[in-house]
């Protein structure tokens, strides 16, 4: 089966993007299963991979027609459109691409993957409805989005399939003891230093302000370091500056190490060396967050905030530890409890390892193939009935 993946961003690019990482990982997994892929993306991508066409800038009428022509030439069986409202701008032209493909001879099955359903402007809701109506299939990446889709767009819930996201980083290539040593050497600390890990953009909502304040409480009685891996995007610089000021005010700036953007394998290998992976999101843990999935990927005990939607992968005390959002004291106390309880650490490692299988890219790609096969089979049955 031939897939075409349409995405506003595709990594690597000048600015990191979670959807771009998702598409890159999905493409790799589909091709490993034997399904060739074409990628249509914007000029922002720096990818040198074969069959990556950078043809879109503003995603207006000209780019939409260019995408349609490229897809008509390549003749994929399935077009997978990766969608969030803000990445494609707020014009209507690109949202008509599924309709254009439906009117094309030998049209492919169009599956729109919603990473978010609405956001940014009021017009996002009608655009989401248009895409859902004109696509043959719809994919949601998490339970929150599935529930939102069923509530706001119930007419098309029969098209809906939930397929989780995977981690944007690979499996670690080193053992835990080597990872511990490498991380501490990177930070200039001794082999016995206690180090927490965090990963992702330093953006509002990630809970990093809470974590900085918790670091002050932790360092009242012991020496704890924090390694934060992730690029500071231009739009996040003001928030990062605020975090730096807060750390200086609390006198923990020397214990917080901003490692910036690193190669994906190095991210994984360093995070494995952390004593705990701390992601105290302001709005609760969610499987829509790739940074949370990264914690499952590396197998480090995870401390986060309570999930908004129950899920077996987010089981407090078994796969994760949870504390209330924006509660530095509670966060520090729970981290301290984890660091002093080896049995709890091992239970969390085993629990998260069992849950992690669900977020492996081969399984995610197989789900996409199953959606495509079902839609193609449905098309064949319709044609047979007409003849």
């Amino acid at each position: 089966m031939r897939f075409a993946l349409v995405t506003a961003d595709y990594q690597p690019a000048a600015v990191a993007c979670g959807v771009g990482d998702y598409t890159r990982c999905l493409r790799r997994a589909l091709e490993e299963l034997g399904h060739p892929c074409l990628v249509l993306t914007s000029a922002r991508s720096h990818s040198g991979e074969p069959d990556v066409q950078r043809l879109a800038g503003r995603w207006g009428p000209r780019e939409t027609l260019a995408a349609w022509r490229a897809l008509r030439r390549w003749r994929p069986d399935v077009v997978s459109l990766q969608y969030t409202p803000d990445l494609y701008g707020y014009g209507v032209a690109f949202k008509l691409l599924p309709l254009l493909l439906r009117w094309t001879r030998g049209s492919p099955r169009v599956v729109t993957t919603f990473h978010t359903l609405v956001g940014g402007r009021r017009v996002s809701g009608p655009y989401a409805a248009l895409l859902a109506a004109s696509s043959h299939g719809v994919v949601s990446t998490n339970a929150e989005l599935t529930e939102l889709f069923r509530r706001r767009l119930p007419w098309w819930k029969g098209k809906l399939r939930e397929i989780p996201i995977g981690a944007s980083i690979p499996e670690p290539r080193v053992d835990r003891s080597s990872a511990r040593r490498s991380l501490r050497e990177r930070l200039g600390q001794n082999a016995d230093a206690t180090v927490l890990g965090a990963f992702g953009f330093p953006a509002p909502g990630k809970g990093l302000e809470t974590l900085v304040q918790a670091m002050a409480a932790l360092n009242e009685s012991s020496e704890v370091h924090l390694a934060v891996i992730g690029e500071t995007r231009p739009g996040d610089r003001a928030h990062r500056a605020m975090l730096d000021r807060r750390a200086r005010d609390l006198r923990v700036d020397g214990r917080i190490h901003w490692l910036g953007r690193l190669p994906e394998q190095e991210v994984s290998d360093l995070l494995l060396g952390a004593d705990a992976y701390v992601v105290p999101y302001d709005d609760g843990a969610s499987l829509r967050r790739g940074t949370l999935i990264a914690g499952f990927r590396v197998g480090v005990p995870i401390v986060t905030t309570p999930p908004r939607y129950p899920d077996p992968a987010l089981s407090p005390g078994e796969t994760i530890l949870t504390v209330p959002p924006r509660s530095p004291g509670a966060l520090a106390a729970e981290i301290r409890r984890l660091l002093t309880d080896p049995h709890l650490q091992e239970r969390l490692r085993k629990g998260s390892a069992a849950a992690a299988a669900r977020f492996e890219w081969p399984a995610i790609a197989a789900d996409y193939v199953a959606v495509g096969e079902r839609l193609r089979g449905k098309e064949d049955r319709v044609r047979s009935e007409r003849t």
Side-chain angles (χ1 to χ4, degrees):
M1 186 178 298
R2 288 160 65 86
F3 281 82
L5 308 179
V6 182
T7 176
D9 283 301
Y10 190 74
Q11 301 300 295
V15 178
C17 170
V19 176
D21 267 332
Y22 173 98
T23 310
R24 176 181 55 86
C25 293
L26 177 60
R27 186 253 179 102
R28 184 183 302 167
L30 285 168
E31 292 193 332
E32 287 176 353
L33 292 178
H35 304 281
C37 293
L38 169 72
V39 175
L40 298 182
T41 187
S42 74
R44 293 189 295 268
S45 175
H46 298 163
S47 174
E49 297 174 12
D51 290 323
V52 175
Q53 296 190 25
R54 295 175 290 275
L55 49 78
R58 299 177 61 185
W59 298 97
R62 180 184 300 176
E63 294 84 7
T64 301
L65 286 173
W68 174 70
R69 293 189 185 104
L71 292 169
R72 190 174 59 173
R73 288 192 302 268
W74 208 71
R75 298 181 64 83
D77 298 296
V78 177
V79 173
S80 174
L81 172 60
Q82 307 298 321
Y83 182 74
T84 63
D86 58 314
L87 292 181
Y88 294 96
Y90 294 98
V92 70
F94 180 71
K95 286 75 177 179
L96 299 176
L97 181 61
L99 286 175
L100 283 175
L101 292 170
R102 276 182 175 269
W103 295 335
T104 303
R105 185 176 179 180
S107 64
R109 303 295 89 182
V110 180
V111 179
T112 297
T113 297
F114 287 97
H115 295 267
T116 58
L117 190 60
V118 296
R121 299 182 184 177
R122 292 182 180 179
V123 76
S124 299
Y127 284 163
L130 174 61
L131 285 168
S134 57
S135 299
H136 299 91
V138 173
V139 169
S140 160
T141 58
N142 58 82
E144 298 164 54
L145 188 54
T146 298
E147 177 61 25
L148 185 63
F149 188 96
R150 288 173 175 165
R151 190 169 66 247
R152 295 197 179 187
L153 302 174
W155 307 278
W156 298 292
K157 64 182 180 181
K159 300 180 179 183
L160 183 63
R161 172 73 181 271
E162 186 177 315
I163 301 177
I165 68 171
S168 62
I169 57 175
E171 185 177 356
R173 290 183 180 173
V174 297
D175 58 39
R176 192 179 303 155
S177 60
S178 298
R180 285 182 57 84
R181 183 172 58 253
S182 296
L183 177 58
R184 284 149 185 79
E185 288 176 355
R186 181 67 173 265
L187 304 183
Q189 303 303 314
N190 63 54
D192 297 326
T194 300
V195 180
L196 309 177
F199 174 50
F201 307 128
K206 298 293 184 69
L208 284 171
E209 184 176 2
T210 303
L211 182 51
V212 167
Q213 294 178 71
M215 286 289 294
L218 286 166
N219 279 279
E220 288 176 355
S221 56
S222 59
E223 184 173 320
V224 178
H225 291 262
L226 171 64
V228 186
I229 302 175
E231 176 183 2
T232 300
R233 301 172 298 183
D236 298 328
R237 287 172 184 164
H239 188 72
R240 165 67 190 277
M242 180 276 293
L243 295 173
D244 288 337
R245 288 195 301 272
R246 182 61 57 88
R248 287 194 298 271
D249 291 344
L250 295 171
R251 298 182 180 179
V252 292
D253 50 307
R255 305 284 172 84
I256 299 177
H257 309 265
W258 300 92
L259 302 185
R261 186 176 183 177
L262 299 175
E264 58 182 28
Q265 188 64 60
E266 189 173 357
V267 173
S268 185
D269 292 346
L270 287 175
L271 286 177
L272 178 61
D275 295 292
Y277 183 70
V278 189
V279 280
Y281 308 109
D282 291 348
D283 58 353
S286 170
L287 296 178
R288 67 183 172 85
R289 293 190 177 275
T291 48
L292 179 58
I293 305 300
F296 287 104
R297 182 63 155 164
V298 298
V300 175
I302 300 169
V303 184
T304 185
T305 43
R308 295 178 59 187
Y309 287 79
D311 189 281
L314 302 176
S315 178
E318 297 298 328
T319 62
I320 59 174
L321 293 181
T322 63
V323 297
R326 300 184 180 89
S327 301
L331 179 60
E334 195 69 348
I335 292 172
R336 194 177 293 113
R337 181 171 79 94
L338 173 64
L339 294 176
T340 57
D341 190 339
H343 298 292
L344 177 58
Q345 295 169 27
E346 188 60 26
R347 184 167 75 246
L348 292 173
R349 286 194 182 97
K350 289 181 178 178
S352 63
R358 178 175 155 198
F359 311 114
E360 294 294 333
W361 284 107
I364 293 168
D367 283 344
Y368 269 92
V369 172
V371 169
E373 289 176 342
R374 178 177 61 82
L375 293 174
R376 297 300 296 185
K378 183 177 179 180
E379 178 189 31
D380 292 342
R381 288 193 299 273
V382 170
R383 287 177 178 173
S384 178
E385 291 171 359
R386 288 174 177 173
T387 57

